[in-house]
Amino acid sequence: MSTDAPASVSPGPAAEAADVTHTYARAGISVRALEGASLKVSRGEVLAVVGPSGSGKSTLLFLLGGLERPDSGAVRVAGVDWASLSGDERARFRRANCGFVVQGMALLPQATAGENVEVPLVLDDVEPAERASRTAEALDRVGLAGERAKLPDQLSGGQQQRVAIARALVGRPTLVLADEPTGNLDSRTGLAVTALLLDAAREGGAAVVMVTHDPTVAAQADRVVEMHSGRLSRTARIGPPATPGGQAGAGPTP
Ligand code: ADP
Ligand code: MG
């Protein structure tokens, strides 16, 4: 079934984790990665998650994107609890609502920039003409209209990450999940790529949850939360938002 319509809009938060715990069990050893983490992010809001390595940041993103299930607590995107969806429904809901940007891009090396961006639309059976126009629009938004036919290794690291951003946004997601999106870029390129991601997401009304260890990247967010041992601490404002006027429901910070 082709679903060109934007994801249904519910008035609540774009995404919410409510008192979530998560344990990885491997080779008889269990690791508690999340320990009662709670989080809400509004449409158009950019939330940065900082914290030491191993504190559970990536796990939180996996749960928000429905890639892992919580032991307890609830995770909702656009008002829908992941737990209420079956396997197939989860995949379809994820494609319609979640865009992922990870460190190292994960682009298909044999596919052009345009083909990489198009992947989510192909999976969703979007009509070819619609696919082409949305792909062109997404590439244009990240400043790569002229690079559509290039392979990833013909592009710079920053350009590759912009392709990954276009791919994350082409499905018009409710929620963009970015895990250290600038981790392998030099700091200037990283800042430029972050600004582009955040502008594009805000323009499209998406919420962004972005894990970063870089304080200058975190400073571009509307709100910053810190993760320690699987728990989120209260908002810690690191700096002013990069884009004044972005409608970020973020109230006063402590
Ligand atoms: P962060 O992204 O903040 O570095 P993670 O969410 O990756 O933290 O990891 C949180 C904890 O869960 C760590 O102790 C890590 O070793 C453990 N962990 C992460 N992924 C797995 C996995 N697939 N299997 C077992 N333990 C894992
Ligand atoms: Mg991580």
Side-chain angles (χ1 to χ4, degrees):
M1 187 180 64
S2 161
T3 48
D4 296 347
S8 62
V9 173
S10 71
E16 183 174 13
D19 201 15
V20 165
T21 60
H22 184 72
T23 308
Y24 291 105
R26 192 169 55 183
I29 300 167
S30 64
V31 178
R32 180 60 72 94
L34 294 177
E35 185 89 63
S38 295
L39 174 78
K40 266 186 205 173
V41 58
S42 313
R43 284 161 209 283
E45 184 181 23
V46 175
L47 179 67
V49 181
V50 299
S53 177
S55 58
K57 304 181 299 296
S58 293
T59 303
L60 177 68
L61 293 197
F62 294 154
L63 267 88
L64 287 170
L67 296 168
E68 292 277 356
R69 295 162 193 262
D71 306 337
S72 63
V75 185
R76 286 180 282 269
V77 172
V80 175
D81 191 330
W82 280 110
S84 72
L85 303 176
S86 71
D88 279 2
E89 291 169 338
R90 288 169 81 90
R92 199 174 312 122
F93 184 77
R94 186 179 302 116
R95 285 201 300 275
N97 288 280
C98 301
F100 293 87
V101 185
V102 298
Q103 184 178 345
M105 281 72 84
L107 299 178
L108 303 170
Q110 316 281 20
T112 64
E115 288 163 350
N116 268 286
V117 171
E118 213 175 4
V119 164
L121 304 180
V122 173
L123 292 172
D124 254 351
D125 290 331
V126 175
E127 297 296 322
E130 167 86 5
R131 263 182 1 227
S133 72
R134 280 170 63 179
T135 298
E137 183 196 311
L139 280 170
D140 191 35
R141 207 189 288 161
V142 299
L144 291 179
E147 324 297 326
R148 189 181 55 81
K150 291 196 174 156
L151 295 172
D153 70 4
Q154 297 173 308
L155 300 170
S156 71
Q159 286 175 321
Q160 289 179 39
Q161 193 59 310
R162 280 147 64 191
V163 173
I165 289 168
R167 181 182 56 188
L169 295 170
V170 77
R172 298 174 185 152
T174 310
L175 176 65
V176 175
L177 297 165
D179 199 349
E180 309 261 10
T182 63
N184 53 355
L185 302 175
D186 67 77
S187 58
R188 221 176 106 228
T189 308
L191 269 183
V193 164
T194 307
L196 197 140
L197 166 65
L198 302 194
D199 285 353
R202 283 171 174 137
E203 239 171 67
V208 180
V209 180
M210 171 178 67
V211 169
T212 183
H213 59 259
D214 184 336
T216 59
V217 167
Q220 296 189 68
D222 300 309
R223 199 152 56 91
V224 182
V225 292
E226 204 168 333
M227 184 145 240
H228 272 285
S229 308
R231 292 174 205 271
L232 287 160
S233 71
R234 287 195 68 77
T235 305
R237 160 73 58 208
I238 290 191
T243 328
Q247 38 96 280
T253 47

